[in-house]
Amino acid sequence: MTAGVDLAIKEINEAGGVNGEDVTVMHRDSGDTTTNIATQSSTEMLGQNVSAIIGAASSGVTKTVINQITGAGTLMMSPANTSPDFSTWDDKGLYWRTAPSDVMQGRILGNVMVGQGAATVGMIVLNDAYGTGLAKNIRMAVEAANGEIVVESMFNEGDSQFSSQVDEVVAAKPDAIAILSFDQARSIIPLLIQKGVDPTTMYFVDGNILDYKKDFDKGTLEGAMGTQPGSFAKTDFKKRLEAVNDSLKDWNYAAESYDATTLIALASTVAKSHDGAAIAAQLQGVSRDGEKCGDFASCKKLLDEGKDIDYDGIAGPVTWDENGDITEGIMGVYQYDGNNVPKPLREEAGAV
């Protein structure tokens, strides 16, 4: 995500910056819900009078700082928050996101599992806004297809032992197991394998569909599947990202971060202002009902010519509603190869 922001800022400044000035960025950690790192980072950024804050990465963390940030009149845009709760949050019109809500990811992952022949599904679920939101929408999709959720085993942020959750799910003998977590999957996967769970029955989500080739023996995850919001990272975009960070190996939410940064800059250009509320007032306009463009330079050229623009991003079409939610999205479906690396399988587009 950091690389996506840095690439966008590099290209924005190469195209002349925003309102005659180069854009500057400060990167800070958002931590997780077991710490107050996000509050410290937000306080520092607000003290620097930033025009916008991109983040947090986790929906649960965003809930701890969204009122602080939007209450200060600062624009907040997350490239990775997917909790449906934010659609109706009292954010003064200052919270936006470039990732589709879990209504879409849950629906598609549920349909993928059923489509692979699963009549029964078990879930290991992080007990926060992210995990429970996904679980709710997976349940709706599975049950709508006449499938059954046979067990939903919860764990909390900060937990380091997952044997009881794995035992509970394995005992229910589901046809498919959905792991709704972040990095906790690195501990959960070996426990499932030790219990004899076939990797082709494991399903992952955006928080944990990572490159595990250095974590597990070859073949450990071969055939496992998962979903990730956004279109597949194309070769050209990967090369551009590597120009700002040559150590990248995962591309999760890089495109959404790039799009968020670019859209903020374009809205600021239209508003002729660096004020958060003024930028927010132009975000819908630059995302819809105009001439198509896909990067800051080409969009700014159209604006300079007096034309209305419709930015379509690298992650997919970004068309916002009045809640700051995108109204249509692309979901990538991936399958793990013999090296434990998720490979693009297909993309599914649809309304959110």
Short mmCIF file of all heavy atoms in Angstrom, two decimals, residues 196 242 257 281:
data_model
loop_
_atom_site.label_atom_id
_atom_site.label_comp_id
_atom_site.label_asym_id
_atom_site.label_seq_id
_atom_site.Cartn_x
_atom_site.Cartn_y
_atom_site.Cartn_z
N GLY A 196 -4.75 -33.11 8.87
CA GLY A 196 -5.07 -33.84 7.65
C GLY A 196 -6.02 -33.14 6.71
O GLY A 196 -6.58 -33.77 5.80
N GLU A 242 7.80 -1.40 -8.53
CA GLU A 242 9.17 -1.81 -8.17
C GLU A 242 10.16 -0.67 -8.33
O GLU A 242 11.23 -0.67 -7.72
CB GLU A 242 9.57 -3.01 -9.02
CG GLU A 242 8.84 -4.30 -8.58
CD GLU A 242 9.02 -5.44 -9.55
OE1 GLU A 242 9.45 -5.19 -10.70
OE2 GLU A 242 8.72 -6.59 -9.17
N SER A 257 -4.48 1.80 -3.33
CA SER A 257 -3.74 2.91 -2.71
C SER A 257 -3.34 3.94 -3.75
O SER A 257 -3.40 5.15 -3.50
CB SER A 257 -2.51 2.36 -1.99
OG SER A 257 -2.87 1.42 -1.01
N ALA A 281 -15.74 17.29 -1.36
CA ALA A 281 -16.91 17.74 -2.13
C ALA A 281 -16.75 17.48 -3.63
O ALA A 281 -17.75 17.47 -4.37
CB ALA A 281 -17.14 19.24 -1.88
#
